[in-house]
Amino acid sequence: MSKALNFLEKKESYQATGKKNMSLKKYVSGICLAAGLLYGCSDSGEEKQSELTNYVDPFIGTAGKGKTYPGATVPFGMVQLSPDNGRNGWDWISGYFYPDSVISGFSHLHLSGTGAGDLCDISFLPVSGKEKQTRLDSVSKRETVHSGFSHSRESAEPGYYQVYLDDYQVDVELTATTRSGLQRYNFDRTNSMAVRLHLGYARNWDWVTDSQLKVVNDSTITGYRKSSGWARDQRVYFYTVFSKPFSAFAISENDTLVSDVSEISGKNVLGKFFFDESQGGEIMVKTAISSVSMANAKANLEDEQSGFDFGLVRKQALARWENELSKIQVETTEDDKIQFYTAMYHSMLAPITFSDVNGEYKGPDGSIHQADYIRYSIFSLWDTFRAWHPLATLLYSDRVPDMMQSLMGHYEEYGKLPVWNMHGNETDMMLGYHSLPVLADAYFKGQLGEDPVQMYEAMKKSAMQDEFGIKAYKELGYVPYDSLGWNVSLTMEYAFDDWCLAQVAKDLGKEEDYDYFMNRSKNYQNHFDSASRFFRAKSLSGNFRSPFDPLAYHPEDYAEANAWQYYWFAPQDIDGLIALTGGNQAFEKKLDALFETSQSAEETPVWISGNIGQYIHGNEPSHHVPYLYRSAGVPNKGEQRIRQILDELYTTQPDGLCGNEDCGQMSAWYIFSALGFYPVNPADGKYILGSPSVEEATIILPDNKSFTIKAINQSKQNVFVKSVSLNGQQVSRNFITHEDVVRGGELVFEMTNQPDNN
């Protein structure tokens, strides 16, 4: 695929500020702390030594299809304090789009590359002088206050973001703790300083149902913002303290100024707080949030930020990122290091911490609950079950038990395992009951943290419900197109989930259930049409839908895909899929055709991107496909494609992700593939071998263990694997196991530029 837009502006801004690929030298005035605490910066501003956080570029994915945000957060943090451009539309689905040139505020909640337009709650904006207001898009019903900015005066690193607002002459810096954000504003124009808080700010799928702003004293405000959208019952309570007292304030609802009142409620609440220039031009604003109450938000703030030490909070945030990034030490090219560690960074933006410091949180039943574990939210399971959750069992195993308890807590409160959990809500977005492979994988890896009997009960309930086409699936062995769209995808994904359930049933001694769900795991075959050699939609009466075009995206029988892309989704039965195709040679030819069958961009929907023929890396159903060549006995063809994807579809530019990041799935694919293996079946504990792009990598494991991957003769040309050894023993199988990795040891690939599939 040809590269997407070439963002010359970013390159020029890097040159203008001395940046080079974000790793060699950062925008020093934005990076070095006054005391040189962080990097050991010298008085001249030069860094003494590069650290792993230097290889993270938060701007990667903020343009093109990535839909990420560049703002400040900590690993798995509740707060994502980031800029918003103030526009509606697909490009602004996560609030910020790199090609834009305006900023309308800095809000505390964002989604990382999901394609869903929600959040952007609790939005602040410093202003000075006359406010600049314009209707920024055709959707907005009113003008939006905003400021212009330039990328040449913008920078970001893990846990920190900075930008200069040209129209108000304010330098803005953001940093964060787990449950709170800290903003620092430096006004060049001190004779007119004010800070706006717009609780009515809403874009895309989100709208305010109620909000409240209360002025506590001359430096403290509190309130809440309740909204609906993708998260149908979202509650964000906040508690904010300014570093200086404001000399005056004004609050309004629906543009009606309310005088002599310190509290107001409504759907479009705005507060504006004015500051005296005699106290200087620096103002800091710290805000904590909670899904429970203003009192809990206050407690979160008091627990995590006792004072106003921006440098310390920033230093601590960066240290937390450094600690997490250090779990893998890689040796590779500078450019690939940026991609690798940025992928690691993106893999830790979700799920988010959702419980307060006292353990309380809003449940999907609308009630307040309390946990004795960290309650997590934002589980994009249709995406992340494929590779992110297996990656978590390797890198974030200390968090996995709490994440599994979070899934089970959702079940206990809602009566169902989550499909797509977000901020104490069930969105029922996408398809499948993919909590099952996630729970099964954690169970077999000893990371469940829950009662397996209750887990099995919850898993079976998901598989035996009647909603989402499952009633027909149980009765017919497939989901008919007469009742639902995405029907082929539903059947194929249910069949995989059933296989996962069967494995747990067998381990728990439930043989009858094992037989039943193993039989259901073959249901994907019921859509196979021997005439067209594709999986096709069937009616209630068992007839295939006609006419049929394997390139077509309409009618939507396949979830965000077509018949070519869903052909390969039977990770639980690859041998069966190969047999259905006609054997290894026919399977190889079908894979070749997938990568070689072209289609014009005009024929594809907006979410189809990252094309190599009909292989679509920008959408998750394709992610395991290059590794299937190995099962067909031609691993070198897969190795070549894997390296092609790594080299062409991931870059260090703002448009460097070819599709939605989807809460870390795109990055999990990169991390696994760069290391040389991938969980084709994400619940069987096996990692299929590929073609590593790193020269060497060491995964730091618990109990003072480590697992080292070495690629001998590694280069951009040597993409083929000549041999593989594990702890000195030749590997003759197609995979290594999770146990092989966590036991510690050394995996050695010998690379060559000569393909040899014999």
Side-chain angles (χ1 to χ4, degrees), residues 86 133-137 139-145 198 200 203 253-256 268:
Q133 300 186 64
T134 313
R135 281 191 66 190
L136 294 176
D137 56 58
V139 177
S140 300
K141 295 180 180 180
R142 61 181 69 230
E143 293 183 337
T144 300
V145 176
H198 191 190
R203 292 296 183 269
E253 199 280 324
N254 266 339
D255 302 322
T256 302
N268 189 32

Side-chain angles (χ1 to χ4, degrees), residues 368-426:
I368 304 305
H369 301 271
Q370 187 161 25
D372 58 2
Y373 58 91
I374 295 175
R375 178 64 173 241
Y376 289 94
S377 189
I378 302 188
F379 287 95
S380 182
L381 292 167
W382 184 73
D383 309 294
T384 57
F385 86 91
R386 304 168 195 272
W388 187 90
H389 280 282
L391 181 71
T393 65
L394 278 178
L395 301 185
Y396 318 125
S397 59
D398 56 329
R399 298 179 184 267
V400 170
D402 283 359
M403 292 178 184
M404 298 308 101
Q405 289 192 71
S406 297
L407 299 182
M408 288 300 300
H410 183 107
Y411 167 74
E412 292 162 7
E413 297 148 15
Y414 192 65
K416 299 177 186 177
L417 286 168
V419 176
W420 213 120
N421 167 277
M422 177 183 163
H423 280 263
N425 290 263
E426 177 55 72

